[in-house]
Every structure is written in structure tokens, then in C-alpha cells.
Amino acid sequence: MSETTSTIDTTTDRALKAKHRAMWALGDYPAVAIDVIPELGPTLVAATGVRAGDRVLDVAAGTGNAAVPAALAGAEVVASDLTPELFVAGRQFAARNGVEITWEEGDAEALPYDDDSFDVVLSCVGVMFAPHHQIAADELLRVCRPGGRIGLLSWTPTGFVGELFRTMKPYAPPPPPGAQPAPLWGDEDHVRALLGDRVTDVVAKRQTMTSDLFASPEAWKDYWKTVYGPTIAVYRFVGDDPQEVAALDADLTALATRYDRGTGSTTVMDWEYLLFTARKQG
């Protein structure tokens, strides 16, 4: 069982999870995963040492950014996500790579698996969006066998995506009581505190991926506001106020401009993430 006793109201939590599921079904997250951040999953799988014969769980798997490379490494993989609408693209992604994955709907804060079920538990910019961090961390550990590995890749609070969420916050509805900011999972001290002395062999590295797909900061903003669920949700929240929409447009464009280090016809941005691996105490 989890190390934390939940005092969260069940009805309120169910409504929150329904909103999260709907948010990630907006736009075209498969395009983000496959076209914008494809390197992240393989990076996480390699760092966690996934190998043939491992039983692997990819938590908040989305379209299989980590699940597919884990399967390519020879592992038996279960991909779990709160938003099963993403599994259509995930199955296509797996088929293109010639691997089979078990896709199962599941809440990262209440994983539908027995204790000690997996050799490796992964999450690639996924579990970080579960609203109650300690509960999610306890679940990751619960389903990992003693001596098994945990691998997490999360956007940092001070990097581009952390800044993105900070930029959108004034335009977004207030978070529900008890919900924690997703980019905290990109803070090493925060993750260490969540896992505590239940893990050993911790390795935490800040790394960056480079985005160079967009011709200009404006082009990135126009793309992101149509494909990325959290951004779409914020635009919908202010959609009846043209001035707020224009201000959000300007703020997002300014953010991308600030990070742009391109010198030609392409916007080049470095997006920082925390790569965190550990072993569950045996």
C-alpha cells in the first residue's frame, strides 16, 4: 500500500481527474511527443538501464514516448495513462516500430497493479502532472519490486517549460486545493524528499533538449496554442476576453523570443529537464 494516507475528497478528486483527462485529449499531444520531444523517451530508457527481460511500467505514458523505446530494448512493457484517447496514436507508434505494448487506463495516483509488480517504473514528462505529488511518488515505489529501478524525466521549474507554466498561470483558473505545480518534479530536492530513504543509488542530472522546428517565436506560439492540452485549456478559459487572449499571445511569444538563440530563419530553444534515476531499497 501507499506510504501516504490520502485525505482528498473522493468526489472532488474524481472531478479533477476528469478535467485532467479531458485536457490531455485536447489538441494533438501525439504530435508533440513524436515530433517535438522524441529524444526524451530513449534518453530516459537508456539512463534507467532497461534491458531484455525487464517488466516495465511506463506511468502517464501518453503515446508511448518511453514505452516504445523500452520495448525496443527487449522489455515487456505496460503503458498506463489517465487519458486512453492517446492510446490510438500510441498503438500506431508502437506498430511503426514493430513492438507490442500493453496499453491500460490508469491513474498515476492509484495505479491498478499489485505491489512489487515491475522491475522498472518509468515516467517521461508524465507523472509530473499528477496533482498530488507524494501520493504519485508512493505509487511509483509501491509497484516497483525491491531492487528495481525508478526512472523519471521532468521539466525543471527554471527551464523553458517551467517558465511556460509560470507565464500561463495568471491567465489560468486557480488550482484546486492541494494540487502542486508540475515543474516541481524537475527539482532534485523535491523528488528526493518525495522518495526519501526508500531509494538508493540516486543519480540526478539536469540536461537539455533542443527545439529547432519553428521558423519564429510567433510560429511556436501559434503551434503550441493548438496542439498542447494545458495551453489550449488556458486559452479556452480566457477565450471570451479578446484583450486577455492578445496579452497571452504576446507573453508566450516574448517567452519564446527570450529563449531563442537561433541566428537564421529558425528559432532554436534549449528546454531543460531533470533526469532522475534510483533503485528501490531491497
Side-chain angles (χ1 to χ4, degrees), residues 113-175:
Y113 308 107
D114 292 337
D115 297 358
D116 308 333
S117 293
F118 296 92
D119 301 302
V120 183
V121 178
L122 304 172
S123 192
C124 182
V125 293
V127 74
M128 64 180 292
F129 292 102
H132 308 109
H133 294 186
Q134 189 63 65
I135 294 173
D138 291 346
E139 282 293 275
L140 297 177
L141 283 165
R142 180 184 65 79
V143 301
C144 185
R145 68 166 176 81
R149 287 103 70 203
I150 305 284
L152 306 170
L153 192 152
S154 309
W155 302 119
T156 65
T158 54
F160 177 78
V161 178
E163 292 278 4
L164 167 65
F165 279 94
R166 215 165 9 256
T167 299
M168 295 192 298
K169 184 177 180 179
Y171 303 93

Side-chain angles (χ1 to χ4, degrees), residues 2 22 87 109 153 170 192 198 209 215 228:
S2 295
F87 293 167
E109 296 180 2
L153 192 152
R192 283 181 177 271
R198 294 174 290 170
M209 59 146 281
Y228 191 59

